[in-house]
Amino acid sequence: MSSDTLATVPAAPGTPERAEDLRVVPRRRYGQWTAAVAVLALLGLATASVVRNKAFQWDVVADYFTTASVLRGLWLTLWLTAVVMVLGFALGSLLAAFRLSANPVLRGVSRGYVWLFRSIPILVQLLLWFNIGALYPTLLGVRTVDLLSPVAVAIVGLTLHEAAYAAEVVRGGLLSVDRGQIEAADALGLSRWRSRRRIVLPQAMRAIVPPAGNMLIGTLKGTSIVSVIAVNDLLFSAQLIYHQTYQVIPLLMVATLWYTVVTSVLGIGQHYVEKHYARGTGTDR
């Protein structure tokens, strides 16, 4: 059959003659929408149950939410979180540098530190530091009980614990940078410090920021454990109140809501920091 014959063959009725005449219809996903409706219904029922449950005593929650003692505890929690994160990442960065060093002694020290402090639960560490006076009654010529207050014990214990995890986060971020980038910087004659600061670190931050943000939020919540050594943080402030009023649930809800608010703010900040360091990678969304 010739091409002329093919050209004169009429198209079947209802068949589009051109590709652009075709209408693309999205696939119907009824199962997903059914599951979404079911989840929303369950969330609505759970929310209604919490709101209508008088045992939560929401009026009491509103009364204590911004009291001076609760806000002081919140401030101490935020301050403790900031101090621990700064000191923990400073020590963790040093340990990461040791781990990547060519010196086997430094590598062994870093590896041993991370192994030890990741093996001991944070509560056990805090209690050990809190009772360090039983092992060393004096330090630097000063009584240990006078030198290490509960807040100082919290800072020491949380920082040493945080540094072990920060070391692995920093080490993983540095190892994520392609070795060719460092070799190219060396070939251009850049100094070791400048190549690390201008080339390696900006790229490593893309891998460091997400777990570091998660550690920040985890540290904020983890500070609640210092209440066991009588540090007047947010949770301990709430406990002091409900030990007097016996309104346990409302005061726990006060602490819960404040933790939720602060972690939400930190989560938003983490999103924008990640977006900043992901520029040019196609993942900055």
Side-chain angles (χ1 to χ4, degrees):
M1 185 179 293
S2 66
S3 59
D4 294 337
T5 305
L6 287 173
T8 58
V9 175
T15 302
E17 297 180 355
R18 296 177 302 173
E20 53 266 27
D21 294 331
L22 295 173
R23 185 167 62 92
V24 179
V25 179
R27 182 180 179 182
R28 302 292 191 270
R29 301 183 181 275
Y30 299 106
Q32 292 184 2
W33 283 106
T34 302
V37 171
V39 169
L40 288 176
L42 291 174
L43 286 175
L45 292 174
T47 303
S49 174
V50 171
V51 172
R52 295 176 181 177
N53 192 334
K54 295 182 179 180
F56 282 100
Q57 301 180 50
W58 294 112
D59 55 333
V60 178
V61 174
D63 290 339
Y64 283 104
F65 192 69
T66 55
T67 57
S69 60
V70 170
L71 293 180
R72 283 195 299 269
L74 174 64
W75 167 249
L76 182 58
T77 293
L78 296 176
W79 178 83
L80 188 60
T81 301
V83 170
V84 168
M85 283 299 295
V86 171
L87 296 179
F89 264 87
L91 179 57
S93 299
L94 181 62
L95 291 168
F98 284 1
R99 185 72 177 273
L100 297 175
S101 171
N103 190 307
V105 175
L106 296 180
R107 290 201 309 269
V109 169
S110 177
R111 191 188 299 271
Y113 180 98
V114 172
W115 164 78
L116 178 63
F117 283 93
R118 289 201 306 184
S119 301
I120 306 174
I122 182 59
L123 178 59
V124 177
Q125 293 184 44
L126 286 176
L127 293 176
L128 285 173
W129 284 106
F130 190 69
N131 293 281
I132 194 68
L135 297 175
Y136 302 97
T138 60
L139 290 173
L140 303 175
V142 182
R143 289 200 313 163
T144 305
V145 293
D146 298 329
L147 187 63
L148 291 177
S149 64
V151 174
V153 168
I155 292 174
V156 171
L158 292 175
T159 297
L160 295 177
H161 177 79
E162 198 79 7
Y165 291 90
E168 292 299 281
V169 169
V170 174
R171 183 176 71 92
L174 294 176
L175 291 177
S176 69
V177 179
D178 186 76
R179 181 66 186 175
Q181 300 284 331
I182 303 175
E183 294 174 352
D186 295 338
L188 291 173
L190 296 179
S191 65
R192 183 180 180 87
W193 165 248
R194 189 175 184 185
S195 66
R196 270 49 175 182
R197 181 172 60 89
R198 300 295 298 273
I199 296 176
V200 176
L201 188 59
Q203 296 182 71
M205 289 299 290
R206 291 200 295 265
I208 292 174
V209 169
N214 293 334
M215 285 181 60
L216 173 60
I217 294 174
T219 300
L220 173 73
K221 298 184 295 183
T223 56
S224 61
I225 202 170
V226 301
S227 61
V228 301
I229 56 174
V231 174
N232 199 5
D233 70 322
L234 177 58
L235 177 59
F236 192 73
S237 299
Q239 290 176 324
L240 287 178
I241 297 174
Y242 72 60
H243 284 157
Q244 298 173 2
T245 64
Y246 301 103
Q247 295 170 318
V248 178
I249 298 300
L251 271 300
L252 288 179
M253 290 306 301
V254 168
T256 299
L257 290 175
W258 270 122
Y259 282 121
T260 303
V261 169
V262 177
T263 54
S264 299
V265 173
L266 292 177
I268 295 172
Q270 177 185 352
H271 167 74
Y272 284 103
V273 174
E274 289 183 16
K275 187 176 180 180
H276 170 76
Y277 284 105
R279 289 178 303 176
T281 63
T283 60
D284 51 337
R285 295 188 297 272

